[in-house]
């Protein structure tokens, strides 16, 4: 199903959830500093860059496109952290990936069009900042702490590149889905 809105097509899955994708953008492989962007609705608040998937777009492609548009960054796409559901007012299903930033544009689409800003935060600080305005975004970072990063030992996950990823819902009851940890190599537009 699709719903049209100016300059955007909203896509929904068969269960009526809006299809979304996002990336936790990190300064390097240690994943200790994350890039947040200012909210378009509340410019004094910070959010994780992400947004709706376009028709026929894969989640990993949507995540890369969204961080390019909202944060003006390119990088190496990493693992799928999980699929997070937000069910209260609007039904969203968001695929959240990691991305190590390799390039930051000085000017990018949302900085020029809406004055969006970006800022690096230590992960714990980012969780505190997100908790009041976007608690579901804070949950992405909480989930990060329970997953493997690329620099951890091989005991963290299967050698074939596939693993379990958390599927979170509003009631905090985890559901697990099998996911691939890689969608593409170096991402560039």
């Amino acid at each position: 199903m699709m719903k049209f809105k100016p300059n955007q097509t909203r896509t929904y899955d068969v269960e009526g959830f809006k299809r979304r994708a996002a990336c936790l953008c990190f300064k390097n492989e240690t994943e200790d500093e994350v890039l947040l962007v200012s909210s378009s609705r509340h410019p004094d608040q910070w959010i994780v860059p992400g947004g709706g998937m376009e028709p026929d777009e894969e989640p990993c492609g949507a995540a890369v496109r969204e961080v390019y548009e909202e944060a003006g960054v390119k990088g190496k796409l990493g693992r799928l952290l999980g699929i997070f559901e937000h069910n209260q007012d609007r039904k969203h299903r968001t695929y959240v990936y990691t991305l190590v930033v390799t390039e930051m544009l000085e000017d990018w689409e949302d900085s020029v069009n809406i004055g969006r800003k970006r800022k690096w935060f230590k992960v714990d600080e980012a969780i505190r900042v997100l908790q009041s305005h976007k608690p579901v975004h804070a949950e992405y970072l909480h989930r990060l702490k329970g997953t493997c990063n690329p620099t951890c030992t091989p005991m963290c996950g299967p050698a074939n590149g596939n693993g379990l990823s958390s599927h979170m819902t509003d009631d905090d009851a985890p559901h697990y889905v099998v996911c691939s940890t890689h969608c593409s190599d170096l991402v560039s537009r």
Side-chain angles (χ1 to χ4, degrees):
M1 173 174 24
M2 288 185 264
K3 189 184 285 182
F4 294 97
K5 128 178 183 182
N7 302 324
Q8 182 181 351
T9 302
R10 294 180 179 177
T11 59
Y12 294 82
D13 64 18
V14 294
E15 296 176 71
F17 284 85
K18 182 179 178 191
R19 299 177 70 230
R20 299 185 77 256
C23 282
L24 293 177
C25 300
F26 295 102
K27 213 174 229 185
N28 56 45
E29 288 83 6
T30 62
E31 297 181 349
D32 57 355
E33 286 187 78
V34 65
L35 188 70
L36 300 181
V37 297
S38 57
S39 168
S40 60
R41 291 190 187 124
H42 306 281
D44 59 331
Q45 301 289 335
W46 298 97
I47 61 170
V48 171
M53 290 184 218
E54 294 178 357
D56 301 321
E57 189 175 35
E58 292 296 321
C60 56
V64 168
R65 177 184 51 75
E66 285 291 337
V67 299
Y68 181 77
E69 292 171 2
E70 291 191 0
V73 298
K74 298 179 184 181
K76 183 173 180 170
L77 189 65
R79 67 198 183 282
L80 175 65
L81 277 180
I83 302 166
F84 296 78
E85 293 178 357
H86 185 243
N87 299 322
Q88 290 170 346
D89 298 327
R90 300 175 300 212
K91 290 172 65 174
H92 289 171
R93 185 168 283 150
T94 306
Y95 293 74
V96 180
Y97 294 86
T98 62
L99 182 130
V100 175
V101 174
T102 58
E103 183 180 348
M104 294 183 75
L105 303 176
E106 195 161 317
D107 294 308
W108 66 97
E109 185 176 330
D110 279 7
S111 72
V112 172
N113 293 340
I114 62 172
R116 194 183 297 268
K117 297 184 181 355
R118 62 185 175 204
K119 181 179 174 183
W120 291 105
F121 290 86
K122 293 287 187 186
V123 170
D124 288 337
E125 182 186 3
I127 290 170
R128 283 191 300 277
V129 165
L130 293 168
Q131 196 62 50
S132 62
H133 177 65
K134 284 285 189 180
V136 72
H137 289 196
E139 184 57 39
Y140 304 163
L141 289 165
H142 282 297
R143 183 62 42 211
L144 173 77
K145 291 183 173 192
T147 67
C148 310
N149 73 30
T151 61
C152 67
T153 65
M155 293 171 52
C156 287
N160 66 2
N162 291 323
L164 291 178
S165 180
S166 175
H167 183 86
M168 294 297 298
T169 61
D170 282 341
D171 62 5
D172 287 336
H175 302 278
Y176 294 94
V177 294
V178 176
C179 64
S180 173
T181 56
H182 299 287
C183 179
S184 68
D185 292 325
L186 187 63
V187 175
S188 182
R189 281 172 72 110

